[in-house]
Amino acid sequence: MTGLDLSSPVAVVGTGTMGQGIAQVALVAGHSVRLYDAMPGRAQEAAEAIGARLDRLVAKDRLAAGDRDAARARLHPARDLADLADCALVVEAVLERLDVKQELFRALEDVVDDDCLLATNTSSLSVTAIGGALRNPGRFVGLHFFNPAPLLPLVEVVSGFATDVTSATRAYEMARAWGKTPVACADTPGFIVNRIARPFYAEAFAVYESQAADPATIDAVLRECGGFRMGAFELTDLIGQDVNESVTHSVWQAFFQDIRFTPSLAQRRLVESGRLGRKTGQGWYDHADGAERPEPHTAEPARAPSYVVVEGDLGPASDLLALIREAGIGVREEDEDHGTRLVLPSGGQLALADGQTSVEFRDVVYFDLALDYRRATRIALSASQDTSSQTLTEAIGLFQALGKDVSVIGDAPGMIVARTVARIVDLAHDAVAKGVATEEDIDTAMRLGVNYPLGPFEWGRKLGRNWAYALLDDLHLRDPSGRYAPSLALYRHAYASDKREGTSS
């Protein structure tokens, strides 16, 4: 059996924001929905709130009035669990506590039929552990919707250790029938999205903690250069600092305090101070009415160099050459096999972020990775205290001549976008190697679940097979804590590429 027949009632237990959203999705798909909450009166309140949202959809011409009336007629608050006895699916969205969820599903197992599919919407707990309390854990599966459930298309279908293939298939097909985009994954900490997204926050916070840049500048670079919809600081203010830190802490603990997932001390202090983001009016930013948003650091206008010399292959930044020529700046190309850089008239060098630091070299300015150098509106540059002012000025002027705002940050190896993308690519390869999900499902999950401009494997193909490995390897040499150590899966990926090209690793 695959999916659920529309004649089959569906139950949602827990009537908070997520529970209401899941119930609305099932209703609009055509199911009869039973709402249950352990708190008296909550189910009725939730039903009224869902009805009000359906009214707003009608007002916006997103739902026909007749369909709304039919959906309302199919929505039934339940007084106790016994009212869920004939349901073909029960989805739980209650408190994120293992004991609470286990107790609920033990009670449900005594009520529903043997072929009823039981599902948890947990985002941080082990699906295997929750299902382990059941007599028949084979019918138990994770259905992780993203908030707001009626709007966001992604659903992670999580198979616990004991989940039957038929149960996972039914859940997958049901999500697709409800108009969602399901991805299949194994029961691992963070599943797909919350596991692979950790570096997006962690690396932004690390750059901030190293005093290389302020939150407004880091956010602007992630948006305007990296192509991400929001920066890490503004996004965590929206999510809630306590919520984001809790997920990070949960993933870190579940991976036995793996250093790659270490939480941020700066974020911890923010939570301890009660500055949780938009919901408290203060987080990384001040969200009070009339508060002025801090501006990113933007360099003053500088004179562009008359020419640049290209040594080697600029790789992911090769599109810059056409932009430089279009700006009327001369480009002289030299076939050098020892570098991938631009040499400025001062003799200083301009290089794509590679995991090394400016202070190691005589006169080097690094520039950050961009999703699309033509469309990017901002470029970050990194220099050390020993970089000559003339070289830095020429580098600033060059990118300004290409129509970019320029943010100069401290000497942070891997800069902002480059180190973030490299770590995301690495975690994605590691997840595939460990059987968490397929490459296709990971790319889909990261694009739809957190609105990344590209999935990790799409990034990898765009940047070259060994780009992420090389950058992380250089970062690991400079920070041997293990945080940036490339995974064995990424090493194999890069080494296989080198072997095909006839080179050694």
Side-chain angles (χ1 to χ4, degrees), residues 197-420:
R198 295 338 313 149
F200 179 75
Y201 313 107
E203 293 313 308
F205 297 161
V207 172
Y208 167 75
E209 289 173 339
S210 70
Q211 301 187 55
D214 60 276
T217 299
I218 296 169
D219 278 353
V221 172
L222 285 168
R223 288 193 316 269
E224 300 171 39
C225 183
F228 293 95
R229 186 166 297 185
M230 298 180 75
F233 296 90
E234 58 191 342
L235 180 55
T236 52
D237 265 3
L238 175 63
I239 295 168
Q241 298 302 330
D242 53 337
V243 174
N244 181 261
E245 193 213 24
S246 176
V247 173
T248 299
H249 194 270
S250 173
V251 171
W252 175 62
Q253 289 283 23
F255 276 113
F256 308 106
Q257 300 186 355
D258 186 328
I259 194 169
R260 295 176 302 165
F261 301 102
T262 301
S264 160
L265 181 59
Q267 188 180 40
R268 175 91 291 262
R269 293 292 179 258
L270 206 64
V271 172
E272 289 174 339
S273 70
R275 298 184 175 192
L276 307 183
R278 291 190 184 185
K279 61 186 176 184
T280 61
Q282 180 74 52
W284 297 110
Y285 299 107
D286 185 351
H287 298 280
D289 291 341
E292 205 170 308
R293 181 70 177 263
E295 293 293 326
H297 170 76
T298 302
E300 294 295 324
R303 184 188 298 274
S306 58
Y307 70 91
V308 295
V309 178
V310 184
E311 293 186 351
D313 179 5
L314 293 182
S318 58
D319 289 348
L320 280 176
L321 298 183
L323 298 179
I324 293 171
R325 290 188 177 98
E326 290 168 17
I329 298 172
V331 176
R332 305 173 187 174
E333 297 191 49
E334 294 185 4
D335 187 14
E336 297 283 346
D337 60 5
H338 61 271
T340 56
R341 60 199 177 187
L342 297 172
V343 180
L344 300 164
S346 64
Q349 300 171 16
L350 189 58
L352 176 62
D354 59 6
Q356 300 183 88
T357 57
S358 293
V359 76
E360 299 171 53
F361 304 98
R362 184 181 64 81
D363 202 10
V364 170
V365 173
Y366 280 106
F367 63 93
D368 211 346
L369 177 71
L371 172 66
D372 183 331
Y373 283 100
R374 183 173 292 278
R375 297 176 61 185
T377 57
R378 182 177 299 272
I379 294 292
L381 301 180
S382 174
S384 76
Q385 66 271 21
D386 297 327
T387 304
S388 77
S389 59
Q390 184 178 359
T391 295
L392 182 56
T393 297
E394 288 178 343
I396 292 169
L398 174 65
F399 281 104
Q400 288 175 339
L402 307 186
K404 318 298 183 187
D405 287 329
V406 176
S407 293
V408 179
I409 70 170
D411 191 11
M415 301 193 68
I416 298 170
V417 179
R419 71 200 283 179
T420 299

Side-chain angles (χ1 to χ4, degrees), residues 466-494:
N466 64 356
W467 176 85
Y469 175 81
L471 187 143
L472 290 175
D473 195 39
D474 276 337
L475 262 171
H476 179 53
L477 288 174
R478 287 149 185 83
D479 178 0
S481 64
R483 178 188 179 102
Y484 299 104
S487 67
L488 180 58
L490 190 64
Y491 171 78
R492 285 172 171 156
H493 179 75

